[in-house]
Amino acid sequence: MPRLRSLLFVPGDRPDRMEKALALGADALILDLEDAVAAAAKPAARDMVAAFLRTERRATVFVRINPLDSGLSDDDLAAVLPARPDGIMLPKAEGGASLAALDAKLSGDTMILPIASETPAAIFALGGYGGVTPRLAGLTWGAEDLPAAIGATTSREADGSYTAPYQLARSLTLFGAHAAGVPAIETVYPDFRDLDGLAAYAARGRRDGFTGMMAIHPAQVAVINAAFSPSEPEIAQARAVIALFDANPGAGALALDGKMIDAPHLKAARALLAGLAT
Ligand code: COA
Ligand code: MG
């Protein structure tokens, strides 16, 4: 699976922006055929996305199709699959059943990245993504569609933090991804002029166990890449943990700089350094 720190959305009817997006250092692009494209523009957008996919590829490229029950997704797939996208993003996913339904339509090693929290039923299916298909590239969530689906006026408090229902959706996505053994991808930060707010948001995501995040604007990419890359002190600390365990074979718990370290610290240190290698 490719490294997925930053995934930049580009509307599927904006080929000029697709070209620009390649130069921004995003680990992946998500070419959107769903919410960012008006209904009347979707047929042309399918052709533009397919044409872009046939050009020389310098990033991992996902295509966000329309939901499986929209009546549009089969036409989306028919248009883009021959052009071999690296993966399909599935909006309004509802657990293992929708994952299996899309899996059956794909061939080769095409990945699937579901947005797993956009309907009320989806929330109750967040534990069901594991063991369905090796195509699963991660799990992400959204805080924009679910409020509309349940008649909520917003997902955010006045200070921008999530209200309780959306904290729950975020947490369940995080645990659902890890239960399925795939990366948890944090959702977009819509206020794209507020890069300090983005940095703080992404840092909280990494702290909590997300390993990447979606972006909507070029300015967000570098901030997100930095937030989801280990800092030099973190790398040094991980090396010190591993060195101490190597120097004390058979030890369960050890002291490093006056703090107890044991198995979970060793596991985290190994995971951090393994992430550098990919
Ligand atoms: N990908 C690539 N390039 C982008 C881009 C994107 N997602 N968003 C903006 N740009 C480019 C613009 O073309 C512009 O390029 P230029 O300087 O060469 O003219 C530059 O970045 C600055 O754009 P800016 O004027 O700040 O943004 P805007 O007001 O034109 O557009 C958005 C704002 C939100 C409409 C736009 O960023 C966008 O379309 N984002 C993705 C939306 C999306 O896909 N949503 C679905 C998932 S939530
Ligand atoms: Mg949406």
Side-chain angles (χ1 to χ4, degrees), residues 34-35 92 118 145:
E34 198 211 11
D35 290 341
K92 278 85 179 177
E118 294 191 304
D145 287 81

Side-chain angles (χ1 to χ4, degrees), residues 77-261:
L77 291 170
V80 304
L81 288 180
R84 300 184 56 82
D86 296 289
I88 300 296
M89 169 168 270
L90 180 64
K92 278 85 179 177
E94 293 183 336
S98 53
L99 188 54
L102 177 56
D103 180 68
K105 298 172 189 284
L106 303 180
S107 62
D109 52 8
T110 315
M111 297 178 284
I112 301 176
L113 182 53
I115 311 183
S117 74
E118 294 191 304
T119 72
I123 299 301
F124 295 94
L126 275 162
Y129 284 89
V132 177
T133 169
R135 299 181 189 284
L136 188 66
L139 215 55
T140 188
W141 74 290
E144 316 303 324
D145 287 81
L146 189 53
I150 65 171
T153 52
T154 177
S155 55
R156 290 178 176 84
E157 305 284 3
D159 68 359
S161 62
Y162 295 119
T163 58
Y166 303 93
Q167 290 178 22
L168 178 73
R170 177 179 179 273
S171 298
L172 288 174
T173 305
L174 175 68
F175 289 119
H178 287 283
V182 297
I185 309 289
E186 180 60 288
T187 194
V188 298
Y189 188 80
D191 187 358
F192 59 82
R193 304 275 179 233
D194 178 13
L195 296 181
D196 291 338
L198 170 66
Y201 181 88
R204 285 194 292 275
R206 173 148 184 269
R207 175 200 68 190
D208 290 345
F210 291 91
T211 49
M213 178 170 167
M214 299 183 291
I216 51 166
H217 189 275
Q220 295 186 320
V221 172
V223 175
I224 291 173
N225 282 346
F228 289 95
S229 301
S231 66
E232 285 304 327
E234 286 172 324
I235 294 168
Q237 172 74 11
R239 291 201 171 117
V241 168
I242 289 170
L244 189 60
F245 275 99
D246 284 349
N248 294 275
L254 292 162
L256 180 63
D257 301 330
K259 293 203 182 89
M260 192 268 300
I261 58 169

Side-chain angles (χ1 to χ4, degrees), residues 8-11 17 20-21 24 32 36 64 192-193 216-218:
L8 175 63
F9 269 111
V10 189
R17 294 194 169 191
K20 280 178 202 164
L24 298 169
D32 191 21
R64 181 164 76 171
F192 59 82
R193 304 275 179 233
I216 51 166
H217 189 275

